[in-house]
Structures are given as C-alpha cells and as structure tokens.
Amino acid sequence: MVVQTKPTSQFKPAEEMPGSFGKLFGGETKELFRDEELFYWDHFQRYGSVFKSRIFGKNFAFLIGPDANRLVLAEKADHLSARLGWIFLEPIFGKGLLLQDGAEHQATRRLMYPAMHGRSLNNYFDTIQEIVDKFFEDWQEGSTISLIEEFTNLSTTIAIRLILGTETDSEFAEATQYFLGMLVGRRAKLKLDIPQTLYGRSQQARRNLQAFLRRKIAQRRQQGLLQESRDFLGLLLASVDENGNSLSESDIIDQLLMVLFAGHENPAVLLSWLMFELVAHPEWYDRLRTEYAQVVGHEPLNLSHLKQLPQMGYALKEVERLYPPVQNMSRGVVKDIYYAGYCIPAGWHVDISPLLTHRLPEIYTDPDRFDPDRFAPPREEDKKHSFALVGFGSGPHSCLGWQFAQMEMKIILSKLLRYDWSVTPEPSAIVPVRQPSKYQDSLQAQVKKVLNP
C-alpha cells in the first residue's frame, strides 16, 4: 500500500470509498454495536482495506493494515485528534492523556513518563508481588473461577494501591467503591445526571472519587518526600519538567482517573486469553514452566529475572496480537489527509484496527493460530513492518504504561505456572476466536495447585 501525502487531481473524495453510510438516521451504528468485532471482519472481507461508514452521525474512513497504522499513529498524527476519537470517555474519566493532543499531550507525557519507567518500576515490583501472592493464596484447590472477573479484581487492586497510593484498608475500600461505581456509567444509555439514573449515580461516584483524591493529594504534599515515593501518585506530584512546570491538581486527578481506567482491565483480558490458549497448546505451558525453572529456580522472583524470560515475552506478544486490548482506534480528522487514492477531509473520523492488522496473512503466518515462536529470531514476523503489532498503540500516543503492564503480567504469569487449569468454553469449540468480546466474560477455569512447581 502506497501512502500518499500530497493532494493532486487524482485523489477521489472519501465519499467514493467502498462501503455504506447505512440508513438515513443512525447510519450503521446499530450494526456496529450488534455485531461488534464481526462488523469489522464483515466490512473488511466485503470492501477490502479501505471502506467508509457512518456511526453516530459521523463519517468514518476505516483504514486497515500496517501502512494505515503508520499514517494515523505517526506520520499524520498532527492532522488527527485523539481527543475527538475518544471524546465519549471524557464525561467519566476527564481529560486525561488519552484525550489530549499536540503540545498539551507532549508536555503531560513528559511529566508522567518518570512515574512509569526506569527506577519507578523497581519501586513498584515488591508491592505488585505482595498483592499477587495474597491473591493466589485465596485460590482454593479444584475451585472454578471466572477469569475476567478474578483478574480484573487483581489488576484493579494493583492499580488502586500503586496508582492512587492508598495506604490503609479503609482508604483502599473507599477508593475502590468510588472507582467501580464510576465505571458503571459506561453502560448508561440515558446521559442524565440525576440520582435516579445509572449515569447520575456514576457521576456522583466520580465526584466522590475526585474529592477523595483532592484529600489524598493534600495529605501527600503535607507529608513531603515526594521524590522518594513508591507509588504513581507521589511520583506524579513530584514531577517537574526542565522549565519548572508541573501538573495542576485538576490535571493530576484527570491523569489518575485515566491511568486507573487503562490499568484495571487490559492485563485481565490478556491473561485470561493466555490461560485459554495454554490449555489448547500445553506444549507452551510446559515451555514456560521449564524456562521459569531454569531462570528462577527456587530463588525469590526479582525484576532482573523478568528480563531473562524471552519465551514468556513471546507468549504475551502473541495474546496481544490475537486479542489486542484495544481492538480499534479512532481519530478525528482536523486537517485533510490522503491515503490509498482518497482525500479524507477535516470533519471526518478515521478508524484503524489492531484486531484486523494482527490477523493479516501477509504479515503473520497462519494468523489465527497461537504461535509465540513467530516473534522469536529468526522469524520475528512483527518486524516485517514497524506498525505490524500495535495492541498498545505506537507513535506519539503509544501506551505510556506498557512497561508497567508487561511487568505486572509477567509477575502474575510466574505465579500462574504453579497451577494446572482447564478452561471453559473449550478451545476446540470456538477457535479461531474472531469475536473475543462474545466469549471473554464467560471464560472460566478450574484450577489446582501443582506439586513441586
């Protein structure tokens, strides 16, 4: 695919793309929400890698493939608005990093970066291990668990402890209650902020959480020693850029809400699907357990060990490929862009799809198959194109917490290797999984402890 960047008379208007604007009122909104991932598969198979649609009254150009990912995420990122793409999140999570553009986004990202990388990860490691150990202590021999629910509870606990810096059980319980109450607003159809509606109760929980965070910020500032903090909140309060700028209190609260949102669910989804795939491919379960035994043995797990587990890294990459945490990414067009012979004008939206890109046979051999070796040398299929694997984004808006998420998942997976498990629904019944959202909430596992792991 050739990416064209300069207008010429040969460019056709975006309205001439294959596809359909759907019905006069509503476009294809109903079809998208009814079919979810199958909407993308159907349109891709019917129209190819470039097609149009109308969703919620907005014109969309769907651009599929690594060249499209590069255009949207990097080359023409300044022609596109992430905020317009994710605007539906703003009433609940505020104007966090995900909903910022341009210089504002760059400045905020610089201030947040130290709290998610380098020495900060060392500070978080022991706390994550402590939480994970306690979590697995509660698993009973032969019990059946809901994977998404269990792992979401775990990742939420890690997020609230490490991101908000809750120090007591009562603080943790209060923050958790408000956060979970706020989340339900995503399901609200009637956006009316009164106590009688789901949305209104969600907004009240949001206000309660904001008030909690204001008290917490004041308390932490009064305590001082912010540079020595071992949680995200303290390090964010301490962060100052080269010009002496720092985030305001309202900015910090917005960033905390957005990071909480991103961190509470994505690791849970990826780990659940990894357990599913390891049941279908027990040879990989054995390989991961053997690698862990060779690297860690009977020593306590430490951060340096995680860097010596390449096969675990390949397995996590493969679930990111098959079950990307964000299946599509939208941007609002603020300045005309040109792609595949079309001019996509300001006022439109563009949508790229990690889900479809990650299953393209021209990039990935036998793309529906769980095959972590595809990431190992000499194959390294994801290196065929720098934007072939984008489950955590790429370019200026790449996921700031990617390293944190990798560390968290590797710690959890290291503990999981001490268990045997079976999963329902059985892989043979639904593989290949073309519609993860249809099944992920129903994934259940029966677990038992392995002797002498």
Side-chain angles (χ1 to χ4, degrees):
M1 178 76 70
V2 176
V3 178
Q4 298 153 312
T5 58
K6 296 182 179 179
T8 72
S9 59
Q10 298 178 355
F11 285 93
K12 294 178 287 188
E15 287 85 357
E16 294 185 16
M17 285 181 179
S20 170
F21 285 137
K23 298 177 181 178
L24 180 61
F25 298 104
E28 294 189 304
T29 307
K30 180 180 178 181
E31 290 83 353
L32 173 62
F33 282 85
R34 180 192 66 204
D35 300 335
E36 298 180 301
E37 297 96 327
L38 295 184
F39 175 89
Y40 294 91
W41 283 112
D42 174 73
H43 283 61
F44 176 61
Q45 291 165 358
R46 188 186 308 178
Y47 302 119
S49 60
V50 176
F51 55 89
K52 68 185 178 188
S53 185
R54 182 171 288 136
I55 310 295
F56 284 126
K58 300 173 182 176
N59 292 341
F60 272 81
F62 290 84
L63 312 177
I64 309 303
D67 286 330
N69 298 341
R70 178 173 58 197
L71 178 85
V72 170
L73 298 177
E75 290 179 348
K76 294 300 175 183
D78 60 340
H79 287 44
L80 304 165
S81 169
R83 180 173 182 268
L84 292 176
W86 298 104
I87 194 71
F88 62 93
L89 294 175
E90 187 171 352
I92 298 176
F93 301 104
K95 196 179 178 184
L97 190 66
L98 189 63
L99 279 83
Q100 294 182 348
D101 293 310
E104 179 187 29
H105 175 264
Q106 294 172 13
T108 301
R109 192 178 179 92
R110 283 197 300 272
L111 286 165
M112 293 177 66
Y113 186 90
M116 277 292 180
H117 295 82
R119 189 178 65 180
S120 300
L121 296 183
N122 295 334
N123 293 338
Y124 301 153
F125 183 85
D126 288 341
T127 302
I128 294 176
Q129 276 228 91
E130 172 193 327
I131 295 169
V132 172
D133 286 341
K134 176 63 172 64
F135 171 79
F136 282 105
E137 284 176 7
D138 294 337
W139 275 20
Q140 298 179 0
E141 180 78 16
S143 62
T144 298
I145 59 173
S146 167
L147 288 179
I148 293 290
E149 181 179 346
E150 286 286 307
F151 286 136
T152 299
N153 289 340
L154 173 58
S155 56
T156 300
T157 300
I158 292 170
I160 289 177
R161 282 278 303 277
L162 275 176
I163 293 170
L164 302 190
T166 55
E167 298 170 288
T168 65
D169 290 344
S170 60
E171 273 191 344
F172 173 79
E174 183 179 3
T176 302
Q177 177 187 353
Y178 297 151
F179 176 64
L180 296 180
M182 181 181 73
L183 285 181
V184 301
R186 294 182 298 170
R187 304 198 308 267
K189 295 181 180 179
L190 179 62
K191 307 295 185 182
L192 193 59
D193 188 2
I194 59 175
Q196 292 78 14
T197 67
L198 182 65
Y199 183 76
R201 293 190 291 274
S202 167
Q203 286 294 295
Q204 184 57 52
R206 180 176 185 263
R207 289 187 285 268
N208 290 340
L209 184 54
Q210 289 173 318
F212 171 90
L213 291 174
R214 283 192 289 270
R215 295 193 301 270
K216 189 69 180 171
I217 289 169
Q219 178 191 62
R220 294 296 293 276
R221 282 177 168 155
Q222 186 176 16
Q223 290 173 348
L225 301 176
L226 294 172
Q227 293 284 1
E228 300 175 19
S229 299
R230 304 182 72 83
D231 56 63
F232 182 81
L233 171 59
L235 293 172
L236 197 56
L237 288 169
S239 185
V240 179
D241 68 14
E242 64 276 10
N243 297 316
N245 299 313
S246 59
L247 293 172
S248 69
E249 181 179 85
S250 61
D251 287 337
I252 287 173
I253 291 174
D254 278 350
Q255 303 314 325
L256 291 171
L257 296 184
M258 189 60 71
V259 174
L260 266 182
F261 168 62
H264 93 284
E265 192 172 65
N266 292 344
V269 171
L270 291 173
L271 287 167
S272 297
W273 282 114
L274 182 55
M275 287 184 70
F276 171 88
E277 291 289 358
L278 291 179
V279 166
H281 301 88
E283 72 279 7
W284 266 97
Y285 173 85
D286 292 338
R287 284 174 65 171
L288 295 183
R289 184 183 283 177
T290 299
E291 179 185 59
Y292 182 86
Q294 291 173 343
V295 171
V296 182
H298 295 290
E299 297 178 18
L301 181 69
N302 61 54
L303 188 57
S304 66
H305 287 143
L306 300 185
K307 301 173 183 178
Q308 302 172 56
L309 300 169
Q311 296 194 76
M312 184 181 289
Y314 302 150
L316 288 171
K317 268 191 172 184
E318 184 68 332
V319 289
E320 174 193 345
R321 184 185 72 84
L322 288 168
Y323 311 101
V326 179
Q327 296 168 0
N328 64 292
M329 302 174 187
S330 297
R331 298 286 190 269
V333 182
V334 294
K335 185 177 180 180
D336 295 1
I337 60 173
Y338 301 86
Y339 184 77
Y342 295 97
C343 171
I344 306 170
W348 275 55
H349 281 65
V350 294
D351 195 301
I352 59 174
S353 174
L355 179 71
L356 296 185
T357 299
H358 293 177
R359 304 285 185 107
L360 292 176
E362 56 265 36
I363 301 174
Y364 296 108
T365 305
D366 194 5
D368 288 329
R369 184 172 182 270
F370 178 80
D371 181 14
D373 277 332
R374 71 175 75 249
F375 296 106
R379 288 173 63 185
E380 297 179 293
E381 293 179 355
D382 58 317
K383 293 186 178 180
K384 290 179 180 178
H385 194 293
S386 55
F387 289 81
L389 186 71
V390 290
F392 286 89
S394 191
H397 276 271
S398 61
C399 177
L400 191 65
W402 179 84
Q403 289 187 16
F404 179 91
Q406 293 296 305
M407 179 177 71
E408 177 183 339
M409 289 189 293
K410 285 183 176 181
I411 292 172
I412 297 171
L413 183 53
S414 296
K415 306 299 181 183
L416 273 174
L417 295 177
R418 301 179 183 184
Y419 289 82
D420 282 331
W421 60 83
S422 59
V423 174
T424 55
E426 294 183 1
S428 59
I430 60 174
V431 170
V433 182
R434 291 298 182 94
Q435 196 178 11
S437 64
K438 178 180 178 181
Y439 298 102
Q440 64 190 32
D441 290 341
S442 63
L443 289 177
Q444 291 188 319
Q446 188 172 60
V447 298
K448 66 177 181 178
K449 193 79 184 292
V450 178
L451 296 177
N452 300 316

